[in-house]
Amino acid sequence: MDITDKTERLELYKDRNTQAFLSKFLSGEIGELLPVYDPKTGYHYPVVEAILGDSSEANAFLNKLYDAGVLNRKLYDKVVYCPKCSSASISIRYCCTYCKSFDVQRSALIEHVKCGYMDVEENFRKGDKLVCPKCHEELKKMDVDYRRAGTWCTCNDCGKSFDIPVTGHFCRDCNSIFTFEDAVITDVYSYSLKEEAREEAAIGWVAMAPIREFLAENGFEVESPAFLKGKSGANHMFDIAARKGKTPQKVTVIDLAMAGEGVSEQPVIALFAKIFDVAPGTAYLIAIPKMSENGKKMAELYKIKIIEAENSREAIRKLEEELLQK
Ligand SMILES: [Zn+2]
Ligand SMILES: [Zn+2]
Ligand SMILES: [Zn+2]
């Protein structure tokens, strides 16, 4: 798995919209996200739009999650849009190969098995019976007396006949007619959550929830994710900020990082850059399941407390020792 993709995903999991969206997969509310069709504007993802509060951002939001490897996608449909006015209200026209008129009559071709005569169905019609125009015998049973031999088109404008019409498009909104070459065609996907993303997301912020709760139960005022303003005036995001009392210097900031093979020094450096500006009382980095040696050395240098834990329960136990001894 690509490391930059993983970093990108971990960033995405911190986003509230992403959390709200992915929690629908994690809770089982959505197995697969299917687009919903609107005859005027084409496909939509109402679930996503409700979360974002803006329908124009839905596709970009889903693309971002797909690019970062959070979502799988499957081709669901293609939508044809008018090249002139972008409407999705498009009808398909089957046109004459000679004069391009769409006033085309489609007929079924019928073959009389016994005499071999073939013609369009209308020429066999005698009232509600089918009678062969050549040998005048009545055709009773399909696949015994006669068989269907495909379709045959006749143009009502130029009178010529052909078997396969050419396809054209008509925009019901601006009345323009356009061909396949000019049509704007968009792929529409259904989405599902990738298995590895399900695990990452579950640890990434589902693990965070019990930690937040623990802090709140112990009289902390908890903000998560928290945006704290630094001396430089910039806002920095921490996974959790917890404070007791009103003194701003006493704020405890917590970031959570995880990596199967051990957390690298990268989150330590990132946390240091933030606490350098924000100057909190204490800074913790919860490393799931463990911290690399390099990371530990750096954390000591930067005065960041490392909590190594297999899961959130162990993290809480260790945080408890740390916080309640004061
Ligand atoms: Zn149009
Ligand atoms: Zn024609
Ligand atoms: Zn016949």
Side-chain angles (χ1 to χ4, degrees):
M1 202 186 296
D2 198 313
I3 275 292
T4 52
D5 273 0
K6 179 145 188 174
T7 316
E8 202 184 328
R9 284 200 297 280
L10 295 181
E11 258 330 292
L12 281 171
Y13 298 141
K14 291 179 182 172
D15 170 57
R16 282 208 165 153
N17 289 335
T18 307
Q19 290 181 2
F21 177 58
L22 295 189
S23 67
K24 290 185 185 292
F25 285 99
L26 294 174
S27 69
E29 190 184 322
I30 306 177
E32 191 182 16
L33 177 75
L34 299 179
V36 175
Y37 190 70
D38 177 280
K40 269 276 181 222
T41 50
Y43 279 107
H44 288 262
Y45 301 92
V47 173
V48 178
E49 288 169 9
I51 290 168
L52 300 180
D54 183 355
S55 62
S56 64
E57 295 294 318
N59 277 317
F61 177 79
L62 289 167
N63 276 337
K64 201 168 57 183
L65 291 174
Y66 168 74
D67 287 341
V70 177
L71 297 176
N72 282 318
R73 72 180 190 192
K74 218 164 64 192
L75 187 62
Y76 180 83
D77 198 3
K78 295 204 179 223
V79 188
V80 177
Y81 292 97
C82 170
K84 257 203 188 138
C85 77
S86 302
S87 166
S89 181
I90 304 298
S91 71
I92 292 173
R93 287 183 166 179
Y94 301 106
C95 306
C96 172
T97 50
Y98 300 98
C99 74
K100 306 292 179 276
S101 163
F102 75 105
D103 190 0
V104 164
Q105 174 84 32
R106 182 185 65 178
S107 306
L109 270 183
I110 285 182
E111 184 187 3
H112 185 202
V113 175
K114 207 167 174 188
C115 77
Y117 181 75
M118 200 192 287
D119 205 341
V120 294
E121 188 172 338
E122 293 86 77
N123 293 340
F124 281 88
R125 282 257 162 243
K126 281 262 155 56
D128 54 1
K129 286 178 179 166
L130 290 173
V131 177
C132 177
K134 190 185 170 205
C135 69
H136 308 293
E137 201 172 285
E138 192 187 340
L139 315 185
K140 284 179 179 156
K141 268 192 118 99
M142 177 138 97
D143 295 327
V144 177
D145 297 335
Y146 67 97
R147 61 179 193 90
R148 298 208 174 267
T151 51
W152 192 243
C153 301
T154 310
C155 176
N156 289 334
D157 273 339
C158 74
K160 289 189 172 132
S161 294
F162 46 93
D163 56 353
I164 300 167
V166 290
T167 307
H169 301 287
F170 171 68
C171 173
R172 296 186 180 113
D173 279 326
C174 76
N175 296 343
S176 59
I177 291 164
F178 54 97
T179 60
F180 171 70
E181 288 97 272
D182 295 326
V184 178
I185 302 173
T186 318
D187 292 341
V188 180
Y189 298 99
S190 63
Y191 293 90
S192 57
L193 186 59
K194 272 197 172 171
E195 232 11 82
E196 58 259 57
R198 183 183 295 273
E199 285 164 26
E200 284 171 0
I203 305 172
W205 93 87
V206 176
M208 210 89 82
I211 298 173
R212 283 195 293 259
E213 259 167 51
F214 157 77
L215 290 166
E217 279 165 10
N218 283 280
F220 284 90
E221 198 181 299
V222 183
E223 212 186 321
S224 174
F227 298 89
L228 303 184
K229 200 178 215 114
K231 290 172 293 219
S232 71
N235 263 317
H236 299 281
M237 192 182 83
F238 298 91
D239 289 335
I240 296 175
R243 39 169 78 80
K244 240 178 194 170
K246 291 275 176 262
T247 27
Q249 305 91 286
K250 283 285 169 66
V251 65
T252 300
V253 295
I254 303 172
D255 268 1
L256 189 141
M258 53 176 172
E261 63 288 354
V263 174
S264 77
E265 66 275 17
Q266 211 52 51
V268 181
I269 296 168
L271 181 54
F272 175 68
K274 294 187 287 183
I275 61 176
F276 183 77
D277 198 21
V278 171
T282 324
Y284 291 100
L285 181 66
I286 299 174
I288 294 177
K290 58 182 176 14
M291 191 74 212
S292 67
E293 283 312 310
N294 235 353
K296 277 182 192 165
K297 273 183 219 151
M298 228 170 246
E300 205 181 326
L301 193 67
Y302 292 158
K303 302 204 168 19
I304 291 168
K305 295 189 174 185
I306 298 291
I307 291 178
E308 291 178 301
E310 282 291 334
N311 49 43
S312 52
R313 218 168 352 145
E314 192 181 351
I316 288 169
R317 196 168 46 72
K318 290 186 171 174
L319 262 182
E320 196 165 15
E321 286 169 14
E322 282 281 338
L323 292 171
L324 303 185
Q325 74 183 15
K326 285 178 189 171

